[in-house]
């Protein structure tokens, strides 16, 4: 678990603060580098939900990117735990699975968007922008 401090930028996309949650540290590093190179400030990263909940409270991110390696009861509880901390949290799921049916069948809105882990940088950034900026306007 870590809190990332970076420079503050002035354009709307640069003001987006993201929390990255994934049990794969290599993927975490890649995603953090990608986001940082696109002007999105990574304010924290966690490999587990207990860490993520603490960091969410400490950093107040605009969006949480959650990597799911499997869609099961545990992964659904991960998403529900974020919503318990903040019912209006913006959550994007990144998964290796083409189908998000199980996540969508969970109780309530567990995620605002779903992407494959192999999605392009452009798709990831535009989805973040759509979820965060377009919902604010």
């Amino acid at each position: 678990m870590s809190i990332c401090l970076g420079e503050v930028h002035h354009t709307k996309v640069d003001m987006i603060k993201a929390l990255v949650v994934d049990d794969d540290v290599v993927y975490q590093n890649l995603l953090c580098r990608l986001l940082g190179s696109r002007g999105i400030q990574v304010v924290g990263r966690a490999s587990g939900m207990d860490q993520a909940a603490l960091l969410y409270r400490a950093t107040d991110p605009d969006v949480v990117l959650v990597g799911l390696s499997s869609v099961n009861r545990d992964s659904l509880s991960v998403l529900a735990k974020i919503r318990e901390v903040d019912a209006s949290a913006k959550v994007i799921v990144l998964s290796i699975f083409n189908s998000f049916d199980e996540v969508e069948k969970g109780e309530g809105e567990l995620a605002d968007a779903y992407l494959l882990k192999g999605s392009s940088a452009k798709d990831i950034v535009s989805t973040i922008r759509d979820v965060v900026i377009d919902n604010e306007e």
Side-chain angles (χ1 to χ4, degrees):
M1 167 173 76
S2 62
I3 294 177
C4 304
L5 302 175
E7 19 180 300
V8 176
H9 300 280
H10 298 288
T11 64
K12 208 167 195 181
V13 73
D14 290 337
M15 292 190 290
I16 295 175
K17 299 182 302 179
L19 172 61
V20 174
V21 182
D22 197 297
D23 59 358
D24 181 348
V25 177
V26 173
Y27 187 75
Q28 254 188 46
N29 289 335
L30 291 171
L31 189 55
C32 288
R33 283 187 181 173
L34 165 87
L35 297 176
S37 72
R38 299 300 196 274
I40 296 171
Q41 182 185 12
V42 177
V43 294
R45 26 189 299 178
S47 56
M49 276 321 297
D50 291 334
Q51 294 174 345
L54 290 170
L55 280 174
Y56 188 92
R57 288 182 185 104
T59 62
D60 190 31
D62 299 309
V63 65
V64 182
L65 291 98
V66 179
L68 294 181
S69 54
S70 64
V71 179
N72 56 35
R73 184 176 298 270
D74 290 337
S75 59
L76 295 178
S77 69
V78 164
L79 297 175
K81 192 163 194 168
I82 291 172
R83 293 290 189 206
E84 286 174 18
V85 173
D86 180 359
S88 64
K90 304 297 180 209
V91 178
I92 298 173
V93 169
L94 296 124
S95 179
I96 59 173
F97 298 101
N98 285 331
S99 172
F100 299 104
D101 292 341
E102 290 303 312
V103 176
E104 292 170 343
K105 288 178 190 171
E107 290 185 28
E109 292 277 327
L110 294 178
D112 296 288
Y114 307 92
L115 291 169
L116 289 173
K117 279 192 171 183
S119 295
S120 70
K122 180 181 176 184
D123 287 344
I124 293 170
V125 171
S126 68
T127 300
I128 292 170
R129 188 176 299 130
D130 289 345
V131 167
V132 175
I133 294 174
D134 290 349
N135 288 332
E136 289 179 353
E137 296 175 346

